Amino acid sequence: DTWVDQVRQGKRHNVLLLGDDTWQRVFTQPDYFHPASVPVESMFVTDTVFVDTKVTDALEASFALDDWRALIVHYLGVDHVGHCGGVASPLLIPK
């Protein structure tokens, strides 16, 4: 039992996912997330920009939809900067 399952309450497509595609590996049921979801490959730890850009680009269109109950927005840039260079990394400043 998870908060995501509670939001879905057996209904399809009412959780919208933007960002880290790990969510799809955790919640593996077919059509678990809203069709307008934008899952982005997250395993390239040296990338600190691509996932965040895709999430930001999809946000406005997501707010125009009226058929979802929960929105997962999972940016990865800060996490990836931490893995690549730590808190003193110059890559952290733009994040």
Side-chain angles (χ1 to χ4, degrees):
D1 188 30
T2 68
W3 70 266
V4 181
D5 289 322
Q6 291 293 319
V7 169
R8 278 187 86 228
Q9 295 177 359
K11 297 177 184 172
R12 294 173 58 179
H13 305 314
N14 65 354
V15 177
L16 184 58
L17 166 66
L18 306 178
D20 188 346
D21 67 341
T22 301
W23 290 86
Q24 288 185 312
R25 291 192 291 277
V26 173
F27 299 98
T28 58
Q29 294 172 291
D31 301 323
Y32 191 88
F33 293 103
H34 192 285
S37 292
V38 180
V40 184
E41 173 63 46
S42 61
M43 299 312 292
F44 301 109
V45 178
T46 56
D47 169 51
T48 62
V49 177
F50 184 75
V51 174
D52 292 0
T53 300
K54 294 294 260 185
V55 170
T56 299
D57 290 348
L59 269 175
E60 189 171 341
S62 299
F63 290 129
L65 301 171
D66 64 357
D67 59 343
W68 52 267
R69 294 181 63 203
L71 174 61
I72 298 169
V73 179
H74 193 157
Y75 285 99
L76 284 173
V78 171
D79 182 49
H80 286 187
V81 167
H83 289 292
C84 294
V87 297
S89 172
L91 296 172
L92 191 57
I93 293 167
K95 293 291 150 198

